[in-house]
């Protein structure tokens, strides 16, 4: 029990690091071995996570529509998503004859790789992240903007007008909603004074930004959640795959595992944006503390940091999943009006307010 | 060979070969995608020079925004070799001569230039804090003037885009 309480991911990673250095020497071999270990453990973490998110999405949908959801395969239907994956594995991966074969097969890979790359600066627990680079938050925004290239490639190479239209919509949507994401991230950066993920988390030691930063932080949190829902093409912003209009949007022509890769990247993106929101606004792995309530703070410290992080992330994922069954899908013009006429001006004023708070030192 | 050198040569070969791919590929979409790979390689070089902020801004602005717009335009225009009219022989020859002359000029300029030895990771100027300090103290005037330039370009784009709306299409 004592081992369990003092156990942490940072000690695990430093143990592995020390062991690799001692057995391989402080050279390239150890570095490459560490990269391989990180890659494999990321995949081992992400695939069950996506299985779980798929299951959770169906259960949340069922809960909101007073249904039971998947309940046949495995206990409470929990193996349903595994069965679906096995089905997809055995399906034939069709490639349309008129398509650009190379780009058609490359597009799902690019989409998955970009969404996995974004995981690098996320702090999963105390002192536990893949790469704490000095421009962490900017890295996230830049790499997630690359995903649109994969989507455009998929849509164009399919040689299908529905795919092309879906890809175009997705491109317009991601490029425009990136602005308000960037501005709401910037308001946190202004208050923190650093782009580093670890610095951003450490700055929330005495309170999360959403509490410390007063109203402007609430506004940027809401804007971030709305805009990132649009960025990952989820309902009510799922115009890219609007079934009634475009069959399935940019992945109409995809089948089998190539389609599964788009699905995988969708769930990874959902996790990533929620993790970023949790890190920026809800304190990442920082436990919840209230002023001078020593006992309460102490009890909160006992909960491991990884559980705090996962709890906050899944809270935001739950909110985003509820959006899907709460709001009807927007039209294209409504989508662009929302961004350019409402969210962008609001976030521009909001960042001025956040700067004022940072300069005057009104946050505590 | 250290990791630094391996990465340097890898990125260099990647940048040059993908830059060649931009001009050699027949499909405009492939050209744009090669250009994106080139930008990534150049960003990798920036990271090797310890200029992480520049690397990321390069990706955001060029690979993320401008190249996406390029892709948009090219995809919508549907430029295929069989649709697009081929240029005449004379025009092709003129293009080759003009390009060759430009190449000569660049070659001559590079030949006379003194190449400074590369100091790896000795300068921290590329980090965002130092870059911001330099931009807002030493170069504040050019920086602000260039931002005014961008603003005027944006307003100009809006004015050009709005022009059609004010005209009533029924009255010529």
């Amino acid at each position: 029990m004592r081992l369990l309480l003092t156990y942490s991911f940072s000690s695990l990673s430093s143990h592995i690091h020390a062991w690799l250095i001692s057995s391989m020497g402080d050279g390239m071999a150890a570095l490459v071995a560490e990269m391989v270990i990180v890659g494999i453990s990321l995949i081992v973490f992400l695939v069950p996570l996506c299985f779980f998110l798929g299951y959770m999405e169906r259960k949340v949908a069922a809960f909101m529509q007073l249904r039971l959801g998947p309940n046949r395969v495995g206990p409470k239907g929990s193996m349903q998503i595994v069965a679906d994956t096995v089905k997809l594995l055995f399906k034939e991966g069709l490639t349309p004859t008129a398509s650009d074969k190379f780009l058609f097969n490359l597009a799902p890979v690019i989409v998955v790789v970009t969404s996995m790359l974004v995981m690098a600066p996320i702090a999963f627990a105390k002192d536990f992240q893949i790469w704490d680079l000095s421009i962490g938050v900017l890295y996230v925004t830049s790499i997630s903007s690359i995903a649109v290239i994969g989507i455009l490639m998929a849509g164009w190479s399919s040689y299908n007008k529905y795919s092309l239209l879906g890809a175009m919509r997705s491109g317009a949507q991601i490029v425009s909603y990136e602005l308000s994401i960037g501005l709401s991230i910037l308001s946190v950066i202004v208050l923190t004074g650093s782009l580093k993920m670890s610095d951003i988390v450490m700055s929330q030691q005495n309170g999360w930004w959403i509490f410390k930063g007063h109203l402007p932080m609430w506004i940027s949190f809401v804007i971030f959640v709305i805009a990132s829902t649009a960025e990952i093409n989820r309902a009510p912003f799922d115009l890219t795959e609007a079934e009634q209009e475009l069959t399935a949007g940019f992945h109409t022509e995809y089948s089998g595992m190539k389609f599964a890769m788009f699905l995988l990247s969708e769930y990874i993106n959902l996790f990533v944006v929620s993790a970023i929101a949790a890190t920026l606004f809800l304190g990442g792995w920082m436990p919840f503390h209230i002023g001078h309530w020593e006992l309460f703070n102490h009890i909160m410290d006992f909960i491991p940091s990884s559980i705090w992080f996962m709890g906050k992330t899944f809270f935001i994922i739950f909110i985003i999943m509820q959006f899907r069954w709460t709001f009807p899908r927007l039209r294209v013009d409504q989508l662009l009006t929302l961004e350019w006429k409402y969210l962008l001006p609001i976030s521009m004023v909001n960042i001025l307010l956040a700067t004022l708070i940072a300069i005057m030192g009104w946050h505590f | 060979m250290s990791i630094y050198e391996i990465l340097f040569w890898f990125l260099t070969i990647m940048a040059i070969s993908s830059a060649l791919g931009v001009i050699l590929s027949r499909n405009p979409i492939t050209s744009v995608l090669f250009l994106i790979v080139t930008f990534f390689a150049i960003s990798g070089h920036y990271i090797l020079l310890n200029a992480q902020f520049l690397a990321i801004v390069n990706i955001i602005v060029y690979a993320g925004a401008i190249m996406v717009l390029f892709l948009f335009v090219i995809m919508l225009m549907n430029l295929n070799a069989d649709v697009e009219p081929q240029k005449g022989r004379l025009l092709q020859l003129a293009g080759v001569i003009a390009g060759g002359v430009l190449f000569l000029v660049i070659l001559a300029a590079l030949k006379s230039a003194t190449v400074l030895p590369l100091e790896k990771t000795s300068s921290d100027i590329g980090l965002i804090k130092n870059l911001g300090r330099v931009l807002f103290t030493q170069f504040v005037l050019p920086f602000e003037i260039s931002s005014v330039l961008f603003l005027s370009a944006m307003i100009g784009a809006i004015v050009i885009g709005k022009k059609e709306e004010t005209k009533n299409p029924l009255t010529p």
Side-chain angles (χ1 to χ4, degrees):
Chain A
M1 190 64 201
R2 187 169 170 72
L3 185 81
L4 201 68
L5 279 176
T6 54
Y7 177 82
S8 74
F9 283 111
S10 64
S11 65
L12 177 75
S13 63
S14 57
H15 273 312
I16 292 175
H17 180 74
W19 176 73
L20 277 175
I21 294 271
S22 69
S23 59
M24 289 182 168
D26 194 7
M28 211 165 73
L31 192 71
V32 171
E34 274 181 5
M35 283 179 179
V36 170
I37 290 174
V38 165
I40 290 173
S41 48
L42 193 63
I43 291 170
V44 167
F45 167 69
L46 282 179
V47 172
L49 178 88
C50 292
F51 280 179
F52 179 72
L53 284 177
Y55 177 65
M56 179 176 163
E57 170 133 85
R58 297 179 68 169
K59 277 291 183 191
V60 170
F63 162 71
M64 292 195 70
Q65 297 168 341
L66 291 179
R67 293 187 286 117
L68 284 175
N71 61 354
R72 296 298 166 92
V73 191
K76 300 257 174 202
S78 57
M79 290 293 118
Q80 180 68 50
I81 214 87
V82 179
D84 287 350
T85 313
V86 170
K87 187 198 81 171
L88 281 172
L89 264 173
F90 284 113
K91 281 217 165 184
E92 185 186 358
L94 289 168
T95 307
T97 333
S99 68
D100 189 324
K101 305 257 174 343
F102 178 67
L103 292 184
F104 185 82
N105 292 320
L106 185 66
V109 180
I110 286 187
V111 171
V112 170
V113 165
T114 46
S115 46
M116 279 192 181
L117 277 177
V118 181
M119 303 288 279
I122 292 173
F124 292 96
K126 196 171 190 289
D127 303 325
F128 187 70
Q129 65 194 107
I130 296 171
W131 188 23
D132 189 15
L133 72 176
S134 67
I135 35 155
V137 189
L138 266 184
Y139 170 86
V140 171
T141 51
S142 73
I143 298 297
S144 57
S145 71
I146 298 304
V148 65
I149 290 171
I151 290 175
L152 282 175
M153 262 165 76
W156 180 78
S157 63
S158 298
Y159 208 73
N160 174 332
K161 60 185 88 158
Y162 294 130
S163 303
L164 188 61
L165 274 176
M168 289 293 163
R169 283 184 180 187
S170 164
Q173 184 174 326
I174 292 180
V175 167
S176 38
Y177 276 82
E178 225 162 57
L179 294 169
S180 17
I181 289 191
L183 284 174
S184 57
I185 287 178
L186 214 58
S187 62
V188 177
I189 294 169
V190 163
L191 285 170
T192 313
S194 172
L195 293 168
K196 222 174 179 168
M197 281 294 194
S198 55
D199 287 351
I200 290 174
V201 176
M202 287 315 282
S203 71
Q204 308 181 60
Q205 206 162 15
N206 53 348
W208 305 346
W209 277 124
I210 200 163
F211 300 127
K212 279 206 295 183
H214 311 296
L215 192 64
M217 279 298 108
W218 276 98
I219 297 172
S220 24
F221 178 65
V222 171
I223 287 176
F224 184 88
V225 171
I226 294 173
S228 51
T229 313
E231 175 113 347
I232 57 179
N233 291 329
R234 278 185 68 85
F237 302 102
D238 62 343
L239 294 138
T240 53
E241 42 202 87
E243 293 88 0
Q244 296 88 341
E245 310 157 23
L246 295 177
T247 320
F250 63 89
H251 52 58
T252 305
E253 297 287 351
Y254 284 87
S255 58
M257 270 330 267
K258 281 179 241 165
F259 171 72
M261 281 169 94
F262 281 115
L263 213 60
L264 183 76
S265 85
E266 197 170 301
Y267 284 124
I268 298 175
N269 284 339
L270 175 62
F271 177 78
V272 164
V273 293
S274 311
I276 301 287
T279 309
L280 293 178
F281 299 99
L282 302 182
W285 48 261
M286 277 291 171
F288 181 64
H289 283 173
I290 296 179
H292 298 291
W293 297 16
E294 295 295 338
L295 186 67
F296 177 79
N297 292 351
H298 220 69
I299 292 168
M300 286 293 148
D301 284 341
F302 260 107
I303 302 173
S305 53
S306 48
I307 290 183
W308 273 111
F309 175 75
M310 281 296 170
K312 290 169 190 174
T313 308
F314 272 91
F315 171 68
I316 294 169
I317 289 176
F318 185 57
I319 291 176
I320 293 179
M321 279 181 176
Q322 286 188 336
F323 284 169
R324 184 170 196 144
W325 310 106
T326 311
F327 303 110
R329 182 184 299 135
L330 277 76
R331 284 200 317 264
V332 178
D333 62 319
Q334 289 171 334
L335 177 93
L336 294 177
T337 311
L338 175 70
E339 163 63 18
W340 293 98
K341 290 194 177 160
Y342 296 98
L343 291 186
L344 191 63
I346 291 174
S347 43
M348 274 176 172
V349 174
N350 191 45
I351 193 166
L352 288 181
L353 288 177
T355 317
L356 189 70
I357 288 179
I359 291 172
M360 304 300 276
W362 284 338
H363 61 87
F364 51 87
Chain B
M1 240 171 29
S2 66
I3 294 177
Y4 182 85
E5 279 172 24
I6 292 172
L7 280 176
F8 174 80
W9 284 111
F10 175 72
L11 288 170
T12 310
I13 292 167
M14 191 167 121
I16 292 175
S17 53
S18 54
L20 282 176
V22 175
I23 49 172
L24 292 181
S25 67
R26 294 195 151 255
N27 192 336
I29 298 274
T30 331
S31 286
V32 174
L33 294 174
F34 269 123
L35 198 53
I36 292 168
V37 177
T38 316
F39 283 133
F40 266 90
I42 291 170
S43 285
H45 277 299
Y46 281 138
I47 289 179
L48 284 187
L49 291 171
N50 206 17
Q52 299 166 350
F53 179 67
L54 276 183
I56 286 302
V57 166
N58 191 37
I59 290 181
I60 291 181
V61 174
Y62 287 102
I66 293 183
M67 283 303 113
V68 169
L69 289 181
F70 267 50
L71 272 180
F72 250 83
V73 172
I74 292 174
M75 281 178 185
L76 282 177
M77 290 203 298
N78 197 18
L79 299 169
N80 282 330
D82 38 311
V83 179
E84 196 66 3
Q86 291 296 314
K87 304 254 188 320
R89 279 275 163 226
L90 203 65
L91 213 59
Q92 283 181 347
L93 193 71
V96 167
I97 291 171
V101 168
L102 180 66
F103 184 66
L104 265 182
V105 169
I106 291 173
L107 213 63
L110 281 179
K111 208 164 174 253
S112 60
T114 50
V115 180
L116 295 171
L118 183 65
E119 297 168 45
K120 52 174 172 181
T121 66
S122 58
S123 104
D124 285 341
I125 191 67
L127 300 183
I128 187 163
K129 230 165 211 158
N130 306 323
L131 195 70
R133 195 164 288 141
V134 171
L135 274 183
F136 280 99
T137 52
Q138 216 174 331
F139 299 105
V140 67
L141 193 66
F143 183 71
E144 293 297 331
I145 287 175
S146 61
S147 68
V148 172
L149 186 71
F150 278 124
L151 185 69
S152 58
M154 275 194 278
I155 293 171
I158 292 170
V159 168
I160 292 170
K162 275 241 161 195
K163 221 177 205 171
E164 300 297 318
E165 253 174 57
T166 50
K167 238 190 283 175
N168 191 350
L170 294 175
T171 53

